[in-house]
Amino acid sequence: MTRSGRGFALTLIVAASLAGCSTSGASSPQGGGGRILRVAYDREIDVLNVFTSQNLVDISFSMVEGLVTTNERNEYIPVLAKEIPTEANGRVVRGKDGSVRMTWPLQENVRWHDGLTFTSADVCFTWRFVTDPKSMTYNREQYIGIKSCEMPDAHTVVFVWDGAYAYYAGLFEGILPRHVFLKADGKTEMTVDEIVNYEPYNRGPGLVGTGPFRFAEWKTGEYIRVVRNPEYWRGKDFPKIDEIVWAFIPDNNTRLLALKSGRYDWGRIQPTQVSVVRNLPASEVHLIDANSVMHFDLAIRTETGRALFDDVRVRRAIFHAIDREGMAKKLMEGAVKVAEGPINPNSPYHNAKVTTYPYDLARSRRLLDEAGWTMGEDGVRRKNGRRFSFVMLNRAGSTDRILLAQVIQAGLKAVGVEVNFETLESAAWTQRWRSGKWEAIVSAWFLPADPGITGLYACKGANNMAGFCDPALDEILERSDQALSFETRMPLLHEAQAKLAEQARMLPLYQNVMPEVVTKRVSGYRGSGTNFGSFWNLWQWRLDEGWK
Amino acid sequence: MRELFWRRFARRRAAVLSLAFFVVIGAACALAPVLAPFPFDGIDLDSVKQPPSLSHWMGTDDLGRDVFTRMLFGGRVSILIGLLAAVVGTFLGTAIGAAAGYHGGVIDNVLMRITDVAYAIPTLPLLIILSAYSRAALVSMVLIIGLLSWMTTARVVRSQVLSIKEMDYVEAARGMGATDLRILVRHIVPNALGPILVGATLGVGNAIMIESSLSFLGLGVQPPTPTWGNMLMDSQATMVTKPWLTLFPGLAILFVVLAVNFIGDALRDALDPSASSR
Amino acid sequence: MGPYIARRLLQMVPLLAGISIVVFTLIQMAPGGPEAALLSTGRFVDPSVVEAYRVKLGVDQPVPMQYLRWAAAALTGDLGLSYSTTRPVVHMIGERLPATLELMGSAFLLAAVLAFLIGIASALRPHSWIDLLANGSAFVGIAMPVFWLGLLLQLVFAVELGWAPVSGTHTVGTSSLGDHLAHLVLPAIVLASRYVASWSRYFRASLISALQSDYVRTARAQGLSERRVLFTHAVRNALVPVVSAMALGLADLVSGAVITETVFAWPGIGRLFVQAMFGRDYPVLMGILLMGSLTVIVFNLAADVVYGLLDPRIRYE
């Protein structure tokens, strides 16, 4: 096949004009050794700054480290911090005025990729950045309880909080290098807007981290490549891989075939694709429980919603008509398990005693009868002249959710409830969903390891789109958010989970699963289902040459 | 005249076969409520994703619904939309192209620049906007698809008309005092029939495919009502694992498009006033 | 012809201005905003952050104001910064364009050659088995959804036979031309299949008409060889409507390759466009769409000029 003359010429011109920006300031792409980890990644990310990226930032975590990360058991573990402050280790001290002092001891031998030492100044710089409204850090709200950042010495940081916040241990998943964000004079820090738009860091060539790998190359639309950091602070023996390539393969089928072709060591696939790769000779499928529950929400912010769903018996009736076992075992081919609450069963905060609403059409009908909804001639129930009919909002392109919606529709039809569909393109759907102007939706969050669910279910919760409100639950949630130890927080969250189920606030359908296909030559991999991802311990990964 | 038409048409074996195929498929789809062995929305989670078998000739889908049944029901919407939208698009395109090519000058310039703009307006955002303001209905879908697909026909017809209008017989007709409309309809359009019919036959397949993207954006037919297009799109995710779910709607669209095309060819030959009796 | 081209070029200015207004309004009217990208991963995002984000991007302003601001910058060649990557839109398009041009160019050439051969073969012997076969296979290309054909080829040639790679433009770490071409083959075939059927159909139809026309009969009567008649008289005239279809196909730079680029993870404009559309990255959308419109207009002009060259009877006033 011949190249088009015009295309080729233009390629040359554009490539030449771009050559300048792609190499300027780049840490020269060192050739690593032969141990290359090839990842089939499901999207192209936007920027490498972990705070301003709108994507999940697991690629960045190969280069950028924070005070903490999450492991495969949904726990926060220290990285650049020597340990996480707790009341037990004496590093969390409550003041008389309600304030809380938290002392974070930092690792002392850590160097940035450019050789400078990592110090407490970098941590306080990062704090100033994320709390500035202009940084648009997605979870900025969680940081603003920190009133000051003190630096008693170069390797200790003290955060003074204006109160007790249970989620304190999950913040600062990345640290920004202060010295990189100085203006030309080498003293003044850049403005927040300048940092947000600072292309060398966002794009990689100027990215300076403390992680086991250094940035090498970002080929637009194709891949990001990182190489081994020979000066990694955990010692000369780490990391054990020379190079990692994340190839962006957005299409689910293509990624599956790419993994099947054996050219990649790691890749995420869909739960219903598991059967295809289960018997590949050179790789294994790991079913990672994601911190994400597919659930069915009913909302009472519209007039219809209030009229239909305000009665808890009605909500229970609806939930009893939904065949979740069928969804998990048949539709999702057994790759997922029925969920009973919003918190991952992996998490120590999960309340295993809570069960919700088994599939039971007879019970569903009885509850609807009790609530005064009597069967009409058209097969749809009625009460006070109102038909039991509502609209479910579907997101276009989310095939699995639309299938779930149809199971719900069929189940409810059987008990005399009519469901109609309205489908919206994804951005339009997001807008409508946030506005609360809908009656029913199937959706899923992707939650951090912290089990806080106040934002979702408190009356004034920022993400309580459904509009339910229970002051008693609010009180429990509030107390759980102020608990600084597992022992005090866990029982409160257990109670909250029980209350959510009892009130039929939403129906958890199943725990989302992220199947990860990993070749057998990879060892040290311990997949994690949090929004920090499975690359949290890349420094421990090994590639055994025996396999390929 | 009519007899001649049928004799010419019947000479094309592929076309006759295609027509027979088309009639059979059309009738089967029209009679879907009678013929279909299962309800099209009969969800049965105990028999999901089964490959073709004796009880389910084309297997079952992700929700255990009979694919054969859904094919029959799906064909009704898809064929109807395909044909109607192609007619709308072809009519618009021919009218605009012929008017522009025949009149030339300012009219040509204005019409063709409108065509340019219509072609340059991106479809995707347009559809997303429409999906927010209109409800899925057959008429609106046919109109939307028709309005999205007249431009190529317009340009092709115009270029054909540009050369035909200089022909002797057109000059002769004009000399005998025929009106412009009469010249266009009687002399020019029939002679440009080849490209017009090609556009129309291609348009059928295109319309069926566009319908599936409309469903995809929420503008089209809502589930659980099937169309070939949305069956195809929905099964995209499982194409590698459950190939029969894409295979049958895909083949149906392919064969219908092929049949329409062969019929179109034969029609062109049969209607062509200058066709030799070869 | 010279004044005609000049006039058409001049008309491009108001045309582009008009299109830019229409497109700007359209994409702003589409429900949903740039915050969709912020929320797409399903993480908790503070509503205050969402509001602040909209204010920062200026999308809370009235649309005419936003347009004026955008247009003023665009006139100086500044298409703004992408919302998602915070990089200049011009750079982003510049990086992606070569890949798309290369893919489109290869597919276009392949399709043109195939369509030409199929068209001639089937027009010379209409309704013969060659015609039916050529026709049938061309139509498989058009009626087969792109993702279908793409995955099928990947399955057969990449996974089972191992002849070609599944996706991407080259194997990371190598830079040989052979490796690159191996990556190009499958997507080019898939993309070409979209065009072969329609072009060969148009060509066949007009070639059959041309072969039956008076001037071809006259040429035959004059005793010219069949080959001479075919190539100097019939083909030349028959190409006129095909050129139209081809120009439009080529101009379809943005949307034409979207699915092919996605299926083969090809780093082109189409993928960028879809990403920008779903994330409502307005500056990127405007940049791509404006470039797309410009291409459409230029190619249509080119098509009109080519008609004139192919068919001397067409006069330009």
Side-chain angles (χ1 to χ4, degrees):
Chain A
M1 178 166 319
T2 40
R3 279 155 170 258
S4 130
R6 185 191 293 111
F8 190 54
L10 251 161
T11 309
L12 283 181
I13 295 165
V14 181
S17 67
L18 287 170
C21 36
S22 63
T23 50
S24 65
S27 54
S28 62
Q30 298 114 321
R35 294 165 299 182
I36 303 177
L37 179 80
R38 294 180 194 275
V39 178
Y41 198 68
D42 58 5
R43 75 193 77 199
E44 168 153 30
I45 58 168
D46 46 6
V47 293
L48 287 166
N49 184 330
V50 299
F51 296 109
T52 59
S53 172
Q54 298 172 348
N55 303 123
L56 301 179
V57 287
D58 43 3
I59 293 179
S60 299
F61 290 141
S62 64
M63 299 169 272
V64 174
E65 293 174 323
L67 296 183
V68 295
T69 188
T70 47
N71 66 10
E72 77 278 20
R73 290 189 301 274
N74 246 312
E75 296 159 336
Y76 289 106
I77 54 167
V79 180
L80 292 180
K82 276 186 183 158
E83 66 178 336
I84 296 175
T86 59
E87 284 183 305
N89 66 21
R91 298 190 186 276
V92 172
V93 180
R94 287 172 191 263
K96 289 198 180 73
D97 55 350
S99 68
V100 179
R101 286 178 67 84
M102 296 194 177
T103 308
W104 289 78
L106 306 178
Q107 297 285 354
E108 278 151 30
N109 55 343
V110 178
R111 284 176 188 281
W112 294 101
H113 292 163
D114 55 9
L116 273 72
T117 312
F118 156 76
T119 67
S120 46
D122 295 306
V123 179
C124 289
F125 172 78
T126 305
W127 165 71
R128 283 196 299 279
F129 176 77
V130 295
T131 47
D132 191 304
K134 289 197 185 111
S135 74
M136 303 288 150
T137 304
Y138 73 97
N139 59 346
R140 171 179 170 263
E141 211 102 312
Q142 300 196 309
Y143 289 90
I144 55 180
I146 303 177
K147 289 301 149 197
S148 68
C149 179
E150 297 169 7
M151 298 176 276
D153 62 61
H155 298 291
T156 309
V157 166
V158 178
F159 293 126
V160 182
W161 292 75
D162 64 1
Y165 298 104
Y167 51 75
Y168 74 93
L171 303 180
F172 295 101
E173 67 266 36
I175 295 296
L176 298 173
R178 178 176 177 273
H179 63 279
V180 169
F181 297 107
L182 296 179
K183 294 193 178 181
D185 64 4
K187 282 188 224 123
T188 10
E189 290 169 8
M190 292 182 186
T191 65
V192 168
D193 277 335
E194 282 167 342
I195 298 173
V196 170
N197 292 343
Y198 188 57
E199 189 161 338
Y201 188 90
N202 287 339
R203 266 316 266 187
L207 187 146
V208 170
T210 60
F213 294 89
R214 295 177 177 183
F215 178 82
E217 186 185 7
W218 180 342
K219 197 122 185 309
T220 300
E222 295 199 64
Y223 59 81
I224 286 179
R225 193 165 66 87
V226 301
V227 294
R228 183 173 190 273
N229 172 12
E231 317 278 319
Y232 188 48
W233 60 272
R234 290 190 205 257
K236 294 281 175 207
D237 293 340
F238 301 108
K240 295 175 180 298
I241 295 174
D242 296 311
E243 198 174 320
I244 307 178
V245 177
W246 280 271
F248 310 133
I249 309 181
D251 185 82
N252 287 335
N253 284 312
T254 308
R255 205 164 55 255
L256 180 68
L257 294 184
L259 288 162
K260 253 187 106 175
S261 75
R263 291 182 192 228
Y264 294 92
D265 295 301
W266 191 99
R268 235 173 230 167
I269 57 170
Q270 301 296 302
T272 48
Q273 294 176 327
V274 168
S275 57
V276 183
V277 287
R278 187 141 262 163
N279 297 318
L280 288 185
S283 46
E284 263 173 283
V285 194
H286 304 261
L287 297 180
I288 308 297
D289 280 325
N291 273 3
S292 169
V293 175
M294 193 63 85
H295 63 276
F296 176 53
D297 267 322
L298 297 170
I300 53 166
R301 287 193 192 276
T302 64
E303 193 272 330
T304 312
R306 241 186 333 274
L308 298 180
F309 308 132
D310 218 10
D311 186 338
V312 66
R313 289 171 300 183
V314 171
R315 299 201 295 273
R316 288 178 184 152
I318 288 178
F319 294 169
H320 275 303
I322 296 170
D323 183 4
R324 298 183 297 157
E325 284 292 331
M327 289 173 174
K329 291 214 173 97
K330 308 291 175 160
L331 180 55
M332 301 304 290
E333 300 175 17
V336 301
K337 289 190 253 351
V338 170
E340 301 292 1
I343 296 178
N344 195 333
N346 271 351
S347 164
Y349 293 94
H350 173 76
N351 184 349
K353 288 202 197 88
V354 172
T355 52
T356 50
Y357 298 89
Y359 181 47
D360 185 344
L361 291 179
R363 202 145 131 204
S364 172
R365 291 191 187 101
R366 206 166 55 236
L367 281 165
L368 284 170
D369 288 339
E370 280 172 26
W373 290 92
T374 51
M375 191 59 99
E377 279 168 15
D378 57 351
V380 177
R381 288 173 186 268
R382 277 184 170 69
K383 182 178 174 182
N384 303 332
R386 179 188 285 275
R387 288 175 85 234
F388 205 132
S389 169
F390 62 93
V391 175
M392 201 164 159
L393 199 60
N394 288 332
R395 187 171 70 180
S398 305
T399 318
D400 50 347
R401 295 186 190 184
I402 294 177
L403 289 171
L404 295 170
Q406 292 178 72
V407 177
I408 293 171
Q409 183 187 45
L412 291 180
K413 191 178 173 188
V415 297
V417 171
E418 182 183 79
V419 182
N420 292 309
F421 289 152
E422 180 179 356
T423 311
L424 290 179
E425 177 274 339
S426 63
W429 181 92
T430 305
Q431 190 184 47
R432 176 83 84 78
W433 169 63
R434 287 187 60 234
S435 76
K437 290 184 191 120
W438 46 272
E439 276 103 46
I441 266 179
V442 171
S443 69
W445 290 98
F446 199 2
L447 304 181
D450 185 87
I453 45 174
T454 311
L456 289 176
Y457 302 113
C459 298
K460 292 218 163 67
N463 290 302
N464 179 359
M465 263 65 90
F468 289 101
C469 178
D470 171 23
L473 179 65
D474 271 21
E475 204 234 300
I476 300 170
L477 288 173
E478 200 176 316
R479 271 167 47 213
S480 82
D481 280 346
Q482 290 166 358
L484 289 182
S485 72
F486 173 75
E487 288 71 24
T488 47
R489 195 180 187 197
M490 189 268 284
L492 290 165
L493 279 171
H494 274 201
E495 198 183 339
Q497 290 170 68
K499 263 199 150 26
L500 282 175
E502 181 199 316
Q503 296 172 0
R505 288 284 287 271
M506 50 101 201
L507 183 68
L509 301 176
Y510 57 76
Q511 190 73 34
N512 268 328
V513 146
M514 298 183 294
E516 295 178 345
V517 181
V518 188
T519 50
K520 288 177 183 159
R521 71 187 194 123
V522 175
S523 57
Y525 154 83
R526 288 188 275 154
S528 160
T530 74
N531 61 359
F532 292 172
S534 281
F535 301 125
W536 61 277
N537 68 335
L538 273 177
W539 61 279
Q540 290 176 312
W541 289 30
R542 270 204 338 262
L543 287 175
D544 300 319
E545 290 311 318
W547 277 98
K548 210 175 189 180
Chain B
M1 184 69 200
R2 184 174 295 167
E3 200 185 327
L4 179 69
F5 169 81
W6 281 114
R7 261 218 319 274
R8 281 175 166 182
F9 187 87
R11 253 204 313 266
R12 307 286 174 235
R13 250 172 307 163
V16 174
L17 270 176
S18 298
L19 189 64
F21 169 80
F22 200 78
V23 169
V24 169
I25 293 280
C29 291
L31 294 175
V34 186
L35 291 179
F38 296 89
F40 69 85
D41 59 350
I43 290 179
D44 177 6
L45 290 182
D46 288 326
S47 55
V48 296
K49 309 176 193 192
Q50 290 177 353
S53 65
L54 277 178
S55 52
H56 298 285
W57 299 353
M58 296 185 180
T60 62
D61 70 3
D62 290 303
L63 297 176
R65 298 174 297 204
D66 182 53
V67 174
F68 177 63
T69 302
R70 290 178 67 74
M71 287 293 297
L72 288 178
F73 278 95
R76 309 169 102 192
V77 185
S78 291
I79 293 177
L80 207 60
I81 287 183
L83 292 179
L84 292 180
V87 168
V88 172
T90 307
F91 180 79
L92 261 176
T94 307
I96 292 173
Y102 184 74
H103 287 289
V106 178
I107 295 185
D108 180 24
N109 204 359
V110 168
L111 286 177
M112 282 302 108
R113 294 304 75 75
I114 291 176
T115 312
D116 284 354
V117 175
Y119 212 96
I121 300 274
T123 319
L124 195 59
L126 193 66
L127 290 179
I128 292 171
I129 294 167
L130 287 173
S131 70
Y133 297 105
S134 83
R135 285 276 147 271
L138 195 69
V139 180
S140 60
M141 283 167 68
V142 164
L143 286 180
I144 288 172
I145 298 174
L147 284 173
L148 287 176
S149 49
W150 56 271
M151 289 81 79
T152 308
T153 308
R155 284 204 65 98
V156 171
V157 167
R158 170 181 171 272
S159 66
Q160 191 82 348
V161 170
L162 277 179
S163 40
I164 294 172
K165 76 169 177 186
E166 308 293 336
M167 297 276 182
D168 298 340
Y169 56 86
V170 177
E171 296 291 338
R174 204 175 284 136
M176 288 190 295
T179 62
D180 282 354
L181 190 66
R182 187 177 164 83
I183 293 175
L184 268 176
V185 174
R186 293 244 98 179
H187 299 283
I188 291 188
V189 169
N191 280 292
L193 213 55
I196 293 177
L197 276 173
V198 171
T201 50
L202 290 171
V204 175
N206 252 338
I208 294 178
M209 296 309 289
I210 296 180
E211 183 275 319
S212 62
S213 18
L214 291 187
S215 307
F216 202 68
L217 288 173
L219 243 182
V221 177
Q222 294 284 324
T225 308
T227 70
W228 290 347
N230 70 26
M231 290 172 75
L232 195 68
M233 288 305 252
D234 289 348
S235 58
Q236 189 185 343
T238 48
M239 210 193 117
V240 177
T241 46
K242 278 99 202 163
W244 65 90
L245 292 177
T246 34
L247 188 68
F248 293 111
L251 286 180
I253 295 174
L254 171 62
F255 284 131
V256 164
V257 169
L258 262 182
V260 168
N261 163 68
F262 284 130
I263 296 170
D265 265 5
L267 271 182
R268 190 200 70 90
D269 290 348
L271 291 171
D272 190 349
S274 66
S276 65
S277 53
R278 182 151 63 108
Chain C
M1 185 80 95
Y4 170 76
I5 297 180
R7 204 183 61 212
R8 285 284 298 272
L9 285 175
L10 216 65
Q11 285 176 352
M12 274 170 59
V13 176
L15 208 55
L16 269 179
I19 289 177
S20 76
I21 293 177
V22 173
V23 169
F24 196 89
T25 319
L26 270 182
I27 59 178
Q28 293 264 355
M29 266 172 65
E35 68 273 14
L38 207 59
L39 297 155
S40 65
T41 52
R43 298 190 296 196
F44 285 137
V45 178
D46 302 324
S48 62
V49 171
V50 173
E51 285 323 305
Y53 188 61
R54 291 183 59 86
V55 172
K56 176 189 165 195
L57 300 179
V59 292
D60 56 331
Q61 304 282 316
V63 175
M65 286 275 291
Q66 291 185 52
Y67 175 76
L68 287 179
R69 197 180 302 154
W70 175 85
L75 284 178
T76 68
D78 174 12
L79 293 178
L81 297 183
S82 155
Y83 293 167
S84 71
T85 66
T86 68
R87 303 175 61 220
V89 170
V90 179
H91 280 193
M92 290 174 70
I93 293 180
E95 281 172 354
R96 301 275 189 147
L97 203 53
T100 294
L101 286 177
E102 187 190 1
L103 180 59
M104 293 283 289
S106 327
F108 189 77
L109 261 178
L110 184 66
V113 170
L114 284 176
F116 189 76
L117 294 178
I118 292 176
I120 289 193
S122 51
L124 284 181
R125 304 243 180 294
H127 316 294
S128 66
W129 65 269
I130 294 185
D131 182 22
L132 290 183
L133 190 74
N135 226 323
S137 48
F139 264 86
V140 172
I142 201 169
M144 205 163 179
V146 171
F147 64 83
W148 238 46
L149 186 60
L151 287 169
L152 199 69
L153 294 185
Q154 286 174 340
L155 203 57
V156 174
F157 293 104
V159 179
E160 296 302 328
L161 297 174
W163 290 355
V166 175
S167 63
T169 63
H170 69 281
T171 309
V172 180
T174 61
S175 56
S176 78
L177 187 64
D179 175 66
H180 176 63
L181 290 181
H183 282 80
L184 179 62
V185 173
L186 296 185
I189 291 176
V190 169
L191 192 55
S193 73
R194 258 173 61 108
Y195 300 113
V196 172
S198 82
W199 294 353
S200 66
R201 296 309 295 157
Y202 280 119
F203 189 46
R204 175 184 179 276
S206 55
L207 193 54
I208 289 178
S209 304
L211 284 171
Q212 291 163 352
S213 68
D214 297 340
Y215 56 85
V216 168
R217 279 190 210 135
T218 319
R220 279 209 186 101
Q222 286 170 344
L224 292 179
S225 74
E226 194 58 26
R227 168 175 296 217
R228 186 98 191 269
V229 170
L230 180 68
F231 286 101
T232 54
H233 296 274
V235 166
R236 192 182 155 125
N237 281 297
L239 276 178
V240 174
V242 185
V243 166
S244 239
M246 283 185 159
L248 290 177
L250 240 192
D252 205 7
L253 201 68
V254 175
S255 52
V258 169
I259 303 176
T260 314
E261 284 177 4
T262 308
V263 169
F264 287 94
W266 195 264
I269 289 282
R271 254 170 73 198
L272 184 64
F273 174 73
V274 171
Q275 230 172 338
M277 187 68 232
F278 288 124
R280 300 289 191 273
D281 195 338
Y282 298 143
V284 174
L285 280 176
M286 278 309 287
I288 295 179
L289 290 173
L290 214 65
M291 186 198 70
S293 312
L294 191 66
T295 335
V296 172
I297 295 171
V298 168
F299 277 104
N300 281 347
L301 172 58
D304 285 341
V305 171
V306 175
Y307 296 160
L309 297 177
L310 282 174
D311 188 345
R313 286 168 309 180
I314 297 174
R315 292 185 300 258
Y316 291 98
E317 295 103 80

